Structure formats: C-alpha cells, structure tokens
Amino acid sequence: MKFINKIQVANLKGRGGAEFPTAFKWLSVAKGHLKEFNQPVFVVCNGAEGEPGMFKDGYILQNYPEKVIEGIKIAMDTLGAEKGYIYLRQDYLKKFKNHLKKYIGKLPIELTAEKIGYLGGEETTLLETIQGDRPEPRLKPPYPTEFGLLGCPTLINNVETFYQISQIQHNEYKNTRFFCISGDAPKKGVYEFPVDMSIGEILKRTKNVPRFNYFVQVGGGAAGEILTKEELNKPLIGAGGIIIYNLKKTDTKELIKKWVNFFFDYNCGKCVPCREGLYRLKEMLQKNEIDMVLLRSVLRTMRDTSFCPLGKSVYLPIDSMLESVKVNYKNKRDTK
Amino acid sequence: MKKITIKIDDKKITCAEGKMILHVAQENGIEIPHLCDHPDLQVKANCRMCVIKIKGRNGLFTACSTPVEDEMDIITDDREIRRSRKTNLELIFGEHHLDCENCTWGKRCGLLQYQKPLRAKITRFSNRKEKRPSKQFGPIIFEGKKCIDCRNCVEVCPVGYYEIEKRGIDISIEPSTNKNKDCVYCGQCIVHCPAGAIKSDGEFEEMEKVFELKKQGKVLVAQFAPSIRTSIGEEFGMPYGSIATDKLSAALKKLGFDYVFDTSVGADFTTTEEAGEAIERILSGKDLPIFTSCCPSWVKYVEFYHPHLRKNISHARSPQMMLSSIVKNYFAPKQKIDPKNIVMVSIMPCTAKKYEASRPELNFENGLKPIDYVWTTRELAWILKDKKIDLKTIKDDPADNPLGDPSGAGVLYGASGGVMESALRTAYFRLFGRDLQKVDFEQVRGQDGVKRAVVRLCKPVKFGGDKCVELRVAVVNGLKNAKIILDELKQDPKKYQFIEVMACPGGCIGGGGQPLPINEEIRKKRSASLYQIDKTKKIRLAHQNPQVQQVYKEFLTDKKLTKKMFEVDFKPEGKSKIKIKK
C-alpha cells in the first residue's frame, strides 16, 4: 500500500495510451482482492504494441528488460499476485524470449503470445486470448481489476508503465515518457522527454522539424489525430507516437484508405457499427464519388456506439484529416 | 436488493439497483429499440441499437449493458441518439435479406418496427450477404443471408451446435461439423432470432400442397397440439394467453379440413399407456428412472448424447402419433374411409415434431406414415391469414368426435410438468384402482427449469388403509437443465424414478414452432391458460375420458394390437447431414 501511495505521488499514468492513473488501477486490484480474498490475483504486462508507428515498448524490452521484470515483480509483491504474464506481439516474443527469460529466472512469470494483432492489445481481448477463448473484447463493467483473468482481480499495465514503476522504486522517476518518431522524419527513433513537453518542442529537440510542408499524426499510426504544424504547441496525449508526413509526397486519400483497411483487417466482428461500418467505409472509399454526409454519419456512429476502442477510434484520424488537411474527395449528393 | 430512484425521460422511477437500464425502462413502459437483447439470454450488447444518454456523462451508452445507479438521469431519445440508431439499423439492413412475406416474425420483427420511426432507409446499403448459402440440418434451416450476427442462436442452443467462424466482416454462424455434436431440432434458435434468419422446413411454402391433395379426393384430417390453443391467438392480435380451442377447430374446418381432432385426446392415450408403463417399471425396478418420450428433441438428445440411457425412455408413442394410430386404424375403417386416402396434418408448437413424423420406426406395418405433414403454429397462422380467415372473429366450432374432447390432463401436456401431472393422476388409479379426489400436483407446475418432488400417493383410509407409494420425480424444461438432472443421476442412479423432460423452456408453450416473440412472461400466460382449461374441465383424468375408454373397449382389445398402435422402439441414426442450398 505504501508503494501505491508512491505511485500516486509520482502521478504516473498508464503508458498504453489510455492514460489511466496507475495508482487507481493498482488500488482497484487490491480492493478486488480484499473482496474475494480466496481468489488469486494476476499481473499482466501488455507488450502487444499493435499500433503502426509505435515501437517504444520494443525499445524498452530490448534495452531495459531487467527494469520491466522488476516492475512486474513489484506489482506482484504489492498486490500478492500468484502469477505474472508478459503478453507480447509475436515478433517481440521471438526476439526477446531468451533475453527476458534470463531476467525472469525462477519468478512465476510466463511469456505468452498475442494472437490476432492490434485488437489483441485491448485489455479485455488480451484476457480472452490468455484464457484461450475467442479473442474479443468483453463487456465492462466488471473491469479486469475486479474480474479479470479467469474472473480474478487482474492488473494489466503496459511495458513502459512497468519500466516506470521500477524507476519510482529507485526514486529515479522524472516524469518522463518515451516517444516514437517516424514517418518522413529525418531522425526517426525513440526518445525520452518530460510528459508535458509540447509536440513542437519534441520535434525541435530531436532535430525533426521538417523543412518541407508537413502534417503529423500523433498518438498512433492508425488511431492518432492529425495535426498541422500550427497545432503542435501542446503536449501529446494518448499513445506516444509522432509520425511526420510530407504533405507534397503524401496521397491523403490513400492514407485514409490505409487506415480504414487497417481497422477493417483487425476488427473482430462482434458489434454492428464496427463490423458493418468499416465494410461500408471501405466500400465508399473505393468509389470515385463519395457521399460525405453518409461517410460522416457512419464515422460518427462508429465513434459513438462501437463496443470497444477499435471501432470508436476510426473517427478521429479521418475527421481530423478532413478538418486540417485538404483531401480531394468528389462529393456525391445523397440521392434520397 | 437495494431500491434506488432514477429518472428516465424525466419520469421518476424506483427500481432495484444493478438492473440494466433497458430492462427497467421496459418494466415502466418505456420502449428503447433493441435487437440482440432477449430476457432469456445474457447481455451481449452486439447490435448497438439501444444507445441512450446519461446526463452528466459523455457519449452514448447501451441501455442493455449499463446498470442503473442511484439518481441516474437517463435520456432515451434525442436527435443524436436517433441518428446513431438509424445508422446502425441501416447497417443491419445491409446484412439482411428481406423476405418479409415468408418470415417467422410475420412482419412484426424489430427491424421493421424501428425502421419507420427512425426513418431508416432499408436500401441505404445493398445486402452484402446476398450470396451466403442456406444450411439445413434435419427440419431446421439457417439462412446466412438473413443473419445479423447477433449470436442469440449460439447462446440459446442447448447443445452448442452453432459455432462462430472467422472474424470481422467474414464472421459467420455455422452449424457444427464436429461429429460429436448434432442438432436436436428444438427450434429455440428460431424463436430467439431477432431477424427471422432461422426457420423450419416448410415455412412458409408448402402448405398449399395439402389442398391440392384434397382436390385429388383425399380426406384431410387435422389435429392440433395442446399448447396451440393458448398461443395462436397472438398471431391475430389477441392478448397473450387467450384460449382459442374452438376457434382453432372452426378455422381448420373453414380452411378445408374434413375432420379436426384434438391432439390432447392423443395425450390422454399417452398418459394411459405411459402411466401404466411407469408403474410397472417402478414396481419391478426395471430400467429406472423412466423418461417421458413425447418430446422428440429430448429423445434425440438422449439417443445422440447419452445413448446408454436409451432404455430409460418410455416406449409410449407421443400424443400426435397415438392419435394418428387411432384415426388411421380405427376411425377410418369405421367411417369406411381408406386409411391410404387420409392426409393427416398435425399442427404442432414444435419443429422437432417434423423430424419425429419423418422417423420410419413409427410407420405402421403396412408402411403407411402416421403423420403426413407437420405444420408449426406459425405455419397455420400464415395460411389462415393467407386465406383471409380471421381467428379472432371466427365463430366457435368444437373439434370432431370421437377424438375431439380431451380430459383436462390431456390439455396440460402443453406446459412443463403437465405430462408428469397427468401421469400421476392416472398412476394413482393404476395403483389403487380408484380415482384421486384432489388432482392438482402443484409441485410439478411452474416455469422453474428443474422441479424435484417426492410425491406420496396413498390409498384412501376408508378403502382399506394406509398403503402408500412414494414416487421420486423430476420435471425439467429447457434442455440445458437436463444436464443437471443427468449429472445427479450419475452420482445417484436411484435418485429419481420418473423424469419428464421438455426441450423447450416452459414446455411446448415455449416451443420452437410457436409465434414470436417468446419470453418468460409470455410463456407464463400461455401456460396459465392451459391450467385454466384443466380446472374447468369436468373430466380431468386421462383414463376417465369416455372417448379413450370407448377406443380401448371397441378396438384395443388385445395387448399385441395396443403395442403396435401405441409403442415404438427407435433405432437411432447418427449425426444429421448438413445440406447446403445456394
């Protein structure tokens, strides 16, 4: 409990993208454990990192595996967890398996593979996957902290979050986070900066301010928001990705198609707006003329009524692109 | 449970904490559009039609999956909510083949019901599933091009026969190809499908055939099952639970049937036979517990999933079969009708009865089939509407004699516990040679999935004393619950002596061939009316039915003949083939 207090003082927020206060999550698991004392508690380290343009978890696993394992161990000790899992996208598992095993040693931590890409990183889908069930999101509530793996209280934190836990333990946490810079950036890579540094400042510090006309996508290469260079004077919220696009070289229509295809490929098929909406978006984008009213109402309905974050997040990149960057769609009037 | 106060559309409502908003709204007469939610099933929140707003919170929430909290202030309708529902409904229409004329819902489905008020355009998107095939297994047909992927069928199937295949846009519900799984034809998937994507063989294309046969000089005979009298009225706008026995026979006659009989009389024969068999087996201890045999899904379930228990099934034929035995072998010759000229149409609340009628083991010695056609309640309603016969306004005309007037016990067959109760009433007579004074067996009534009772039958003191027999009985409705009882039997094979199982929740009143919608409230009302009929009948014991007594006296004079007419020994076949129709 003392340690949870320390997390709270540090004001650590989840680094998976949802920015949920970490101390809250831990407390909630502890409470769940108190309610059902006979049930085991599980700790899961989420390293599914399925969003395009995101590679900081891989970077951390490569460079600081001991810190990640330490973070998981602290969580397990603090919460009295029986078992820990490191849930990794398949290439990470292959790449870091031996490496991680060395640091795990005799700790009850199991390495396990993500199976379906992208959606596999959504935390309830992750639970279904580990259980061996059909990988699909669960209804919330109940939340995983209370009713998680096999119905037991479960803590799910991102790789980076566990890294920062270890930093907090050693009093070395400096309110920083990792940023992935990619796309048409001259200096691609993973950088660590204070959480509240503005996007523009990050680009400046990393010598990534392009000389060409550009726009950026922040948060993630599929679900992230599109910002013009005038909109960069604010800190990044969400997943820590910054992708730079050369305006001249980028076919924005193709980019939107790419996003839609990405979501289309990874949607699980459970709910109507996401399954059917993505199909119709794809269908509409293949045509020369687009009914913009219909396109927007499908996007809005997906945002407002989808079951899980996948369907909800299709709206933001497309809408912000249409708002900020000119996209040459031929508008077809609805023939009502 | 804690009571809380909430507001829905500014209406103050007191309700139990933890219930879902949708269900609280429904209980208070506030309709929120929904498709995948069904009171019999778990909350899935797949269709996203029931979105609402909660004041003070951002975004939309699905009413089916959001529990009420104290002082919650809910808005169920505004521009934004409508817009979302409209788009989702249009997307759903984009994966649904329209065939409203031939739909199990008869144009009363949620899709159409919400389409108008939401001003949704049915053809906004073309049906992307148009090329999906239909698959038939036994009498059940699953039409892929109508399925809206809600998964109700997957959940409701008692044997896990439906499987979810693939992901995303290619997701589809498929009958299992696993050789250890087979459909038992109960049709619960049909009555839980919001989109009418599943139907039974014949719906709604084959009724006309029968009338062609009449033109060729055949004699049309109809029999109608016990449970139908309190359900078919719904199709004609009558309130749930309306009793329509004599309207039903009037409508059948008007439709062109030469004779209309009541399957409940068949049930009286079944009771007489089964009670006798039960008492015999209980006294001798052979092949116990005895299972009832009138539900063909249950019989198929035992045959396929628990073949070692086959010997426990009663040898008695089901009521529709017994009635047909008498019609074709006793009534026909008496009326100088060639049995081969009789076309027997059986109106059943059931899809598995279609399968039962096709089982060759039931054919008579001369090869003649007892039942020529089985129609579901829905099919009868469809053809009546087609012929402009309004059940609601038609003048009563009772069924024909000698096989048209059942005992109260025979009518109870339509409700869970009814077969057991009928059998107990007659068993008493078999044991003590006297009739029961108080005939109600409340212990076996009601909608509970599993009912257990120890029934003490005692000889009246004034007739020689205190001789008593204790019967350990169980009554199951809903095949999922049968597993509970079978597990108990595994632990203690002697736990029960007599077990009634009906595959459908509530018994036949909740059958897979019944009008839609079906839920517990509706099942209760249909069932209550059957008990009402029993209560008002002068004769409430099956063996006392003079029509039954007459047949035994005039026709079933030797045991061998009775056996031929009333018993069956099934030879189960393996897994049913899945036929694919493009």
Side-chain angles (χ1 to χ4, degrees), chain A residues 268-287:
Chain A
C268 71
K270 179 178 167 65
C271 78
V272 166
C274 186
R275 179 186 68 239
E276 302 302 321
L278 281 166
Y279 178 81
R280 298 304 169 183
L281 287 179
K282 205 176 145 163
E283 193 178 54
M284 280 186 252
L285 292 174
Q286 268 156 8
K287 292 184 180 142

Side-chain angles (χ1 to χ4, degrees), chain B residues 350-476:
Chain B
C350 180
T351 47
K353 287 284 169 191
K354 295 196 179 213
Y355 154 75
E356 185 186 74
S358 74
R359 296 193 72 158
E361 303 97 315
L362 287 157
N363 291 356
F364 301 130
E365 263 182 350
N366 57 5
L368 213 58
K369 280 174 71 166
I371 310 277
D372 298 284
Y373 297 93
V374 174
W375 292 351
T376 60
T377 320
R378 294 186 296 267
E379 279 174 289
L380 177 61
W382 191 98
I383 189 85
L384 289 176
K385 286 180 204 167
D386 189 56
K387 305 274 184 208
K388 309 256 178 318
I389 298 170
D390 183 10
L391 195 83
K392 201 174 171 180
T393 53
I394 200 166
K395 241 183 92 190
D396 285 0
D397 185 357
D400 294 306
N401 280 321
L403 301 165
D405 194 8
S407 74
V411 176
L412 292 191
Y413 263 61
S416 165
V419 177
M420 182 60 75
E421 183 160 349
S422 306
L424 289 173
R425 291 178 187 177
T426 293
Y428 186 91
F429 174 78
R430 289 291 173 124
L431 279 168
F432 305 121
R434 310 213 154 258
D435 286 333
L436 266 177
Q437 294 307 302
K438 194 189 159 294
V439 302
D440 295 336
F441 288 88
E442 300 283 348
Q443 317 94 297
V444 297
R445 297 182 180 183
Q447 302 289 309
D448 290 346
V450 180
K451 292 166 271 187
R452 304 172 181 87
V454 177
V455 179
R456 212 172 137 85
L457 301 177
C458 291
K459 198 169 182 179
V461 180
K462 61 176 171 178
F463 293 108
D466 49 356
K467 194 183 163 199
C468 286
V469 176
E470 274 190 353
L471 296 179
R472 301 182 303 278
V473 306
V475 173
V476 175

Side-chain angles (χ1 to χ4, degrees), chain A residues 26-235:
Chain A
W26 287 43
L27 262 180
S28 174
V29 176
K31 271 188 207 155
H33 189 37
L34 276 180
K35 241 197 232 165
E36 300 276 342
F37 210 72
N38 297 327
Q39 282 194 336
V41 172
F42 297 107
V43 168
V44 182
C45 169
N46 188 351
E49 201 164 51
E51 184 90 23
M54 293 300 298
F55 41 86
K56 51 108 188 159
D57 289 345
Y59 174 86
I60 293 167
L61 289 167
Q62 169 101 49
N63 297 291
Y64 310 106
E66 73 287 356
K67 293 227 160 225
V68 177
I69 306 283
E70 191 190 9
I72 298 171
K73 188 175 176 299
I74 294 166
M76 289 173 68
D77 292 344
T78 309
L79 301 169
E82 192 155 287
K83 195 171 174 190
Y85 291 87
I86 304 179
Y87 176 82
L88 296 173
R89 59 185 240 200
Q90 292 180 15
D91 57 332
Y92 284 1
L93 182 65
K94 232 188 206 165
K95 217 164 141 190
F96 304 126
K97 195 160 79 186
N98 296 331
H99 191 54
L100 282 169
K101 272 189 182 159
K102 212 169 73 194
Y103 293 101
I104 290 171
K106 286 192 175 137
L107 292 171
I109 298 175
E110 190 183 317
L111 295 174
T112 168
E114 187 283 314
K115 291 202 172 73
I116 52 162
Y118 197 55
L119 182 62
E122 189 277 325
E123 61 179 15
T124 61
T125 311
L126 166 156
L127 295 172
E128 298 291 298
T129 311
I130 297 180
Q131 285 177 195
D133 295 323
R134 186 178 164 85
E136 268 182 10
R138 288 185 188 171
L139 266 175
K140 287 192 275 191
Y143 294 94
T145 49
E146 248 185 80
F147 192 90
L149 195 62
L150 305 167
C152 304
T154 303
L155 175 81
I156 307 165
N157 273 150
N158 170 259
V159 168
E160 184 185 339
T161 311
F162 282 117
Y163 165 86
Q164 302 293 9
I165 289 293
S166 154
Q167 295 294 87
I168 290 172
Q169 166 82 345
H170 298 289
N171 299 318
E172 286 168 4
Y173 179 67
K174 294 190 198 74
N175 211 22
T176 58
R177 66 179 292 186
F178 289 87
F179 296 90
C180 312
I181 303 182
S182 64
D184 298 324
K187 299 207 181 283
K188 296 180 194 122
V190 178
Y191 300 89
E192 193 176 354
F193 287 113
V195 291
D196 53 359
M197 186 178 278
S198 78
I199 302 158
E201 185 66 19
I202 292 170
L203 292 185
K204 219 186 267 171
R205 297 259 184 116
T206 58
K207 299 192 169 62
N208 268 318
V209 182
R211 298 199 177 158
F212 46 79
N213 243 338
Y214 69 101
F215 61 92
V216 297
Q217 186 174 22
V218 298
E225 184 180 9
I226 294 294
L227 299 173
T228 60
K229 61 181 174 192
E230 288 79 27
E231 295 171 308
L232 302 180
N233 192 21
K234 59 181 179 187

Side-chain angles (χ1 to χ4, degrees), chain B residues 136-138 161 182 185 573-580:
Chain B
Q136 180 168 358
F137 24 97
Y161 184 63
D182 201 4
Y185 318 132
E573 12 169 335
K575 182 177 161 84
S576 54
K577 275 214 179 86
I578 301 171
K579 286 180 246 167
I580 301 175

Side-chain angles (χ1 to χ4, degrees), chain B residues 311-322:
Chain B
K311 57 178 185 351
N312 295 66
I313 299 173
S314 159
H315 292 106
R317 291 182 174 222
S318 70
Q320 70 163 353
M321 291 297 161
M322 287 205 183

